[in-house]
Amino acid sequence: MLTAEQIESFKEQGFLKAQSALSAEDADRLRERMFDVIEGQSKGKAEAVRNMGNDQNVVVQIVNIWEADDLFRRHLFNPDITAMIAQLMGDDTVRVWHDQVQYKPPFVGGPTDWHQDHPYWPIIQPADLVSAWVALEDASVENGCMWMVPGSHLWGPHKGGTIGTNREDFSPAPDMSLLPEGTKIEPVPCEVKKGEVMFHHCLTWHGSPPNRSAHGRPAIAVHYMPGYTRYEKDPSKTHLVEHNVEVAPGEILKGSHFPTVRENGLALEA
Ligand SMILES: O=C(O)CCC(=O)C(=O)O
């Protein structure tokens, strides 16, 4: 459980650095299963397994790995993580929007440019989601840990979520004319040990630089929705997992593809 100070810090900063969540052995098991999915050895099928970069800048993205592998399905329901999520959201019902693995291999791991999440999720409202990002190996500055901009979740959606990235030093390159005068942009690195979890709000500016080290950087983010999140159909926008939606526009987003992991304050079983 989180302390009142940690919850307050999350409200101010838009993220909360590492808390222990999984044992090293559990993280190792998930990492092995991740490689099975990448190699096409899993029992089920993920929504997507793809390289978001190129040969020199590889970022393997897996969306909804929980649909490919039961260990990852159980991970969604991790009661320690979902209890902290419920605290940060201030809601006692929590559902999964989707999960996302990002694996940056040694030496050729590519960048994940600065962005906000919610503008990429236009079909769900409101923008109150919180993600739980778990490192499946130590994530350090050297191998491309996440960086966050404190307080940026309070600045609203920025240009469709794309912040802009300076290639030389991987700093954010926003359109300053869209921000209040005097806004300070001071990114901080968020190193996370294997098995630890870090949380971020869906409007917090974040990104992760390339991995030129000899150590891979596997991690899984689960994007959790408060129980009141609704499906808002917008004919001009879509999302990879929209085909899984079984409710009508305007209704609470739930169903077999959007598991409820906590209800009325209780952690549910996988
Ligand atoms: O894993 C990363 O480096 C980026 C993940 C991310 O953008 C997210 O979890 O929202």
Side-chain angles (χ1 to χ4, degrees):
M1 294 296 274
L2 301 170
T3 63
E5 289 73 29
Q6 287 173 310
I7 297 169
E8 205 42 46
S9 167
F10 178 82
K11 281 188 187 150
E12 279 168 18
Q13 308 277 305
F15 64 97
L16 185 67
K17 279 208 213 164
Q19 318 290 318
S20 65
L22 308 184
S23 67
E25 295 70 34
D26 284 346
D28 288 342
R29 270 191 283 274
L30 284 177
R31 194 184 60 252
E32 282 158 24
R33 295 291 184 95
M34 178 198 82
F35 284 118
D36 288 346
V37 173
I38 292 173
E39 286 155 19
Q41 307 292 330
S42 58
K43 282 200 207 125
K45 202 169 164 335
E47 185 65 47
V49 183
R50 58 194 179 188
N51 178 8
M52 299 201 299
N54 53 42
D55 287 354
Q56 294 313 308
N57 281 297
V58 178
V59 181
V60 181
Q61 183 200 43
I62 307 173
V63 176
N64 275 354
I65 193 170
W66 72 267
E67 302 200 274
D69 185 284
D70 273 350
L71 264 195
F72 278 101
R73 180 179 160 79
R74 259 177 272 157
H75 174 70
L76 305 181
F77 290 77
N78 180 308
D80 296 332
I81 295 177
T82 64
M84 292 188 272
I85 284 282
Q87 285 183 288
L88 295 174
M89 286 175 170
D91 195 359
D92 57 11
T93 296
V94 177
R95 298 193 176 87
V96 173
W97 163 225
H98 66 81
D99 68 31
Q100 181 193 194
V101 163
Q102 284 201 16
Y103 170 56
K104 295 175 193 276
F107 305 115
V108 294
T112 305
D113 286 347
W114 285 96
H115 66 282
Q116 295 170 299
D117 291 334
H118 188 263
Y120 289 97
W121 304 334
I123 62 166
I124 51 169
Q125 297 294 342
D128 289 343
L129 287 83
V130 177
S131 299
W133 189 96
V134 173
L136 301 180
E137 278 292 5
D138 292 354
S140 63
V141 167
E142 289 70 36
N143 71 352
C145 69
M146 288 248 268
W147 288 64
M148 304 268 163
V149 175
S152 53
H153 62 307
L154 303 173
W155 304 340
H158 188 87
K159 278 191 143 181
T162 305
I163 308 298
T165 303
N166 288 313
R167 289 284 151 234
E168 312 74 53
D169 60 355
F170 199 77
S171 58
D175 180 343
M176 291 306 288
S177 71
L178 299 176
L179 295 167
E181 213 169 300
T183 301
K184 282 207 172 71
I185 298 165
E186 293 171 342
V188 294
C190 298
E191 296 196 314
V192 179
K193 293 272 177 217
K194 177 166 77 175
E196 287 180 342
V197 60
M198 175 178 63
F199 301 99
H200 67 272
H201 185 273
C202 61
L203 286 174
T204 305
W205 297 15
H206 59 285
S208 51
N211 176 16
R212 300 297 181 233
S213 81
H215 303 284
R217 207 234 57 185
I220 174 159
V222 181
H223 307 303
Y224 288 104
M225 316 181 264
Y228 52 81
T229 307
R230 293 180 185 276
Y231 170 49
E232 300 287 348
K233 189 160 181 58
D234 179 340
S236 68
K237 297 168 183 155
T238 188
H239 186 278
L240 191 63
V241 302
E242 188 167 8
H243 68 98
N244 289 329
V245 174
E246 291 160 340
V247 301
E251 286 183 357
I252 300 280
L253 181 52
K254 53 182 162 182
S256 57
H257 292 275
F258 305 95
T260 304
V261 294
R262 290 186 83 82
E263 201 151 43
N264 302 324
L266 292 178
L268 303 186
E269 297 284 325

